[in-house]
Amino acid sequence: MAEFMEKSVLGDHEPVDKEALVEEGVAREIGPGELEYIPDDPKTERLLTTRMDFKVIPILGLLYLICFLDRTNIANARLAGLEKGLNMPSTGFNTALWIFYIPFVLAEVPSNMMMSLPWIKPNLFLGGQTFILGVLAMCQGLTHSYGGLLGVRFLMGIVETGLPAGAGLLIASYYRKKELSLRFALFFAFGQAGSCFSGLLAYAIQGMDGAAGLAGWRWIFVIEGLVTIFFSIFVFIFTPHFPGKDKWISEHDRARLLARLEADKGKEYSNQKLANNKKVPWTKVVFDYRIWLMTLLFFCSDMSAGSLSSFNPTILSQLGWKARRAQVMTIPVWIAGIVGALASTLASGRLNKRWPFILPAIVVSIIGWTLHVTYQAPGVRYFAQFIISVGTFIQMPLYIGLLTANLRGRAYLSFGTAIQLGLGNCANFVSSNVFITTQAPHYPVGFGTGLGITCLSFPVMLLVIFLFIRHNKKIDRKLASLAPGEVLDDQIDYKYVY
């Protein structure tokens, strides 16, 4: 390993005392100016991971919670009278959903590449966007026209685009491959908790109908917007920098962290040329089949997630519950998804395997959609929402973990996470338009489309497994043909995990 303490793919940082690190047993010298990381005992390694968990996950998870809160509260406002209050046309609610995702998808990659620039501080970049998002979220409740709502929703899509992908890039920068799926599950759990909180908050806020002359649906937007503005203060203060530049990490911990990331992910953590992407052809990054197949899989699962977040309250209200009770009855559905995701990704991390959990989760989601298509009994449909939630939220963090675990270098990580979370979210264009109001409560187009797209993910995942196995066999053949003393380039020739 070449001077990992002085340069990092995640940015330059202050030099550390190499002699002291050798004396402390952090590293050993293997050549002039070259040090090699000496792993700690498992307990000490876990303590370092735990310190990173408390530093990275809570603030970025809460950021995603706020994003979900501001993205899904329109579904709660609908039950509280949004459509009637703004005299929206029959397809107006669907339009208000998908117009948000136009800039959200288009700006995802540029936003992530911008955050990767060496002079950009993630806390300022993400904090500023969070503050503006809160202002715009409030404006949804203050607009007096349908056109005004659409304009605000479009601007929200521009501002929010960099938040999930930027947070995902930071998480991917701090953790080893086997640790990523669980951390992304925790990240998504915060988002699902946002949906729970949104339903609970909407239940309480609807009681303010008429206060200060504002309808209950307006208060939902105004109060949740104020919550976002308040939270932006914490984003400014606590969002970490990339590991190589983070001043809140001790030199000792930073050295260990960067070194073990290099040992896990290759020399991009020590080679500044790779850090600046001078050796990574953009054509290779853009046309990498791993990014596009994993994005397609994320798209298939996000169809279910988008349907749950946008239409869960509506579907439940049509099962016979009053609007306020329907808000609350969405909460157990999200909790089931959280529990399923955390349990499966914890087991996946310990086994360092993902496919044994992904394939059954796809089958579970298919069963849920099939129940919706086949049965119309309220109890069965409510149960189907649980099934879809569990299957979907097991898949999503595993897909992101699977992609980021197999990408090396800043170019790959920033582009890959932005494409997966950006184009993958195009599923919301579909989910926003297939639940046709005039087809309520049966929604044959909506439920049929959800079933078809979910079924597609099963053969795609089998294709991913086949391609990864074939690639790993190719690497084995290369290793077998090496001459004595010859090594492979670990930026090109490395095995994929699946």
Side-chain angles (χ1 to χ4, degrees):
M1 291 183 174
E3 302 182 20
F4 63 82
M5 284 71 170
E6 300 212 16
K7 297 289 183 181
S8 165
V9 68
L10 306 176
D12 300 340
H13 53 78
E14 296 297 323
V16 295
D17 188 339
K18 294 181 179 179
E19 293 183 1
L21 291 173
V22 172
E23 291 176 2
E24 294 172 12
V26 175
R28 55 175 168 263
E29 191 167 2
I30 58 174
E34 294 189 5
L35 298 178
E36 182 179 53
Y37 175 59
I38 300 176
D40 281 319
D41 63 274
K43 182 179 179 180
T44 306
E45 288 288 307
R46 285 195 299 271
L47 286 174
L48 177 58
T49 301
T50 301
R51 283 196 288 271
M52 295 306 104
D53 286 340
F54 280 106
K55 177 181 180 56
V56 176
I57 300 301
I59 187 64
L60 296 181
L62 287 170
L63 176 62
Y64 194 50
L65 183 153
I66 290 295
C67 289
F68 237 79
L69 188 67
D70 290 323
R71 192 186 308 175
T72 61
N73 58 13
I74 190 172
N76 302 111
R78 183 188 196 186
L79 285 186
L82 167 67
E83 292 171 299
K84 183 179 179 180
L86 293 181
N87 296 316
M88 294 168 63
S90 60
T91 59
F93 181 74
N94 301 75
T95 303
L97 291 178
W98 63 255
I99 199 169
F100 169 91
Y101 289 100
I102 294 175
F104 185 87
V105 170
L106 294 177
E108 195 99 36
V109 173
S111 177
N112 236 24
M113 298 308 294
M114 185 181 299
M115 199 181 92
S116 298
L117 295 174
W119 58 85
I120 297 293
K121 293 184 177 181
N123 65 320
L124 300 180
F125 187 76
L126 299 178
Q129 290 181 82
T130 305
F131 177 83
I132 298 172
L133 178 64
V135 173
L136 292 172
M138 286 182 60
C139 289
Q140 292 178 106
L142 301 176
T143 184
H144 291 280
S145 69
Y146 170 57
L149 177 68
L150 295 183
V152 172
R153 296 282 297 174
F154 186 86
L155 293 175
M156 286 179 65
I158 296 175
V159 174
E160 192 176 320
T161 184
L163 298 180
L169 177 59
L170 279 173
I171 292 172
S173 302
Y174 271 87
Y175 292 99
R176 293 172 290 185
K177 290 179 286 190
K178 66 180 182 180
E179 299 166 338
L180 284 170
S181 292
L182 177 59
R183 273 69 195 180
F184 278 116
L186 291 167
F187 178 63
F188 275 109
F190 275 95
Q192 294 158 54
S195 296
C196 295
F197 182 63
S198 180
L200 189 61
L201 190 59
Y203 175 84
I205 293 173
Q206 275 189 246
M208 297 178 62
D209 189 26
L214 295 179
W217 67 265
R218 292 186 182 274
W219 278 114
I220 290 174
F221 288 130
V222 171
I223 291 180
E224 295 186 7
L226 286 172
V227 170
T228 303
I229 292 172
F230 176 73
F231 177 72
S232 68
I233 299 171
F234 297 92
V235 179
F236 280 115
I237 297 173
F238 295 110
T239 298
H241 211 314
F242 291 106
K245 285 187 173 181
D246 202 324
K247 302 295 184 181
W248 287 25
I249 304 178
S250 69
E251 290 184 357
H252 185 87
D253 281 351
R254 185 168 63 237
R256 287 195 178 281
L257 178 63
L258 296 176
R260 78 180 191 180
L261 288 172
E262 179 181 331
D264 185 66
K265 297 186 178 182
K267 294 179 181 177
E268 80 269 18
Y269 279 81
S270 62
N271 188 324
Q272 190 61 20
K273 288 184 179 180
L274 284 170
N276 294 328
N277 299 324
K278 294 181 180 178
K279 290 188 176 181
V280 182
W282 272 102
T283 53
K284 183 177 180 181
V285 176
V286 172
F287 294 104
D288 192 308
Y289 75 88
R290 295 171 298 173
I291 293 175
W292 296 104
L293 285 178
M294 298 311 301
T295 298
L296 176 58
L297 286 168
F298 190 85
F299 175 95
C300 293
S301 62
D302 200 46
M303 169 65 194
S304 298
S307 300
L308 286 171
S309 63
S310 298
F311 291 95
N312 206 11
T314 301
I315 291 171
L316 296 188
S317 70
Q318 291 165 353
L319 296 183
W321 289 307
K322 298 293 185 182
R324 290 191 72 186
R325 188 181 178 192
Q327 306 276 25
V328 176
M329 296 303 291
T330 64
I331 296 174
V333 175
W334 295 106
I335 292 176
I338 293 173
V339 173
L342 293 179
S344 62
T345 52
L346 180 61
S348 170
R350 291 185 175 180
L351 295 175
N352 200 21
K353 292 184 181 295
R354 296 143 191 87
W355 69 266
F357 301 92
I358 291 175
L359 291 177
I362 294 173
V363 174
V364 168
S365 292
I366 290 173
I367 292 172
W369 284 109
T370 302
L371 289 175
H372 271 308
V373 171
T374 309
Y375 296 95
Q376 297 176 12
V380 174
R381 283 201 160 174
Y382 189 47
F383 176 70
Q385 294 292 89
F386 282 89
I387 295 295
I388 293 173
S389 179
V390 171
T392 297
F393 294 112
I394 287 176
Q395 294 172 62
M396 294 181 76
L398 289 174
Y399 290 147
I400 298 180
L402 185 58
L403 179 63
T404 53
N406 286 298
L407 299 182
R408 292 190 174 184
R410 177 183 289 185
Y412 269 117
L413 275 177
S414 59
F415 182 81
T417 54
I419 288 293
Q420 189 177 45
L421 292 172
L423 292 183
N425 270 301
C426 284
N428 288 278
F429 287 115
V430 181
S431 64
S432 299
N433 289 285
V434 295
F435 286 90
I436 303 167
T437 303
T438 56
Q439 294 184 349
H442 307 307
Y443 295 117
V445 173
F447 293 140
T449 304
L451 176 60
I453 290 178
T454 304
C455 287
L456 173 64
S457 59
F458 197 88
V460 173
M461 186 61 202
L462 291 178
L463 175 62
V464 169
I465 295 171
F466 168 76
L467 292 174
F468 281 18
I469 291 174
R470 188 178 68 172
H471 169 84
N472 289 349
K473 288 182 177 179
K474 179 181 176 182
I475 299 301
D476 286 335
R477 289 194 295 269
K478 283 189 175 184
L479 288 170
S481 64
L482 290 177
E486 186 180 6
V487 295
L488 297 178
D489 183 346
D490 69 356
Q491 296 308 302
I492 301 172
D493 299 315
Y494 60 92
K495 287 189 173 183
Y496 297 160
V497 296
Y498 57 92

